[in-house]
Amino acid sequence: MHVTVVSPEQAVFDGSADAIVAPAYDGQVGILPGHAPFLTLLGTGVLQVRQGSASTRFRVAGGFLQVVGVGGGGETVRIVADRVEAS
């Protein structure tokens, strides 16, 4: 699935991923290939973008996460955060 992570200042990640774990406003949410369309508000915490055995982490606060696409790995995950810092 294709993932973009942006803040008001810049795009901080744009690439493929095997899994996402994000801090939603009411708890952690996990996104895997084949996930249904989805939209949630982000809380504050660590966003993990997993690519195989590697993991990229960001500290995020506020914003939203959206999953769009047709399923089967062709999804696009957009994470638009009020604040993003490399972790």
Side-chain angles (χ1 to χ4, degrees):
M1 62 189 164
H2 186 82
V3 178
T4 57
V5 180
V6 298
S7 72
E9 293 83 27
Q10 65 182 345
V12 294
F13 184 89
D14 186 12
S16 63
D18 299 320
I20 305 256
V21 177
Y25 73 99
D26 61 351
Q28 296 285 338
V29 62
I31 308 294
L32 296 171
H35 200 286
F38 181 71
L39 178 67
T40 189
L41 294 174
L42 290 175
T44 300
V46 176
L47 166 71
Q48 294 182 44
V49 179
R50 296 183 185 158
Q51 301 165 297
S53 62
S55 181
T56 304
R57 295 173 182 243
F58 303 97
R59 181 119 179 107
V60 297
F64 67 89
L65 179 148
Q66 179 185 35
V67 180
V68 295
V70 295
E75 300 80 22
T76 297
V77 180
R78 294 182 187 116
I79 298 157
V80 179
D82 296 337
R83 288 184 297 145
V84 179
E85 298 172 5
S87 175

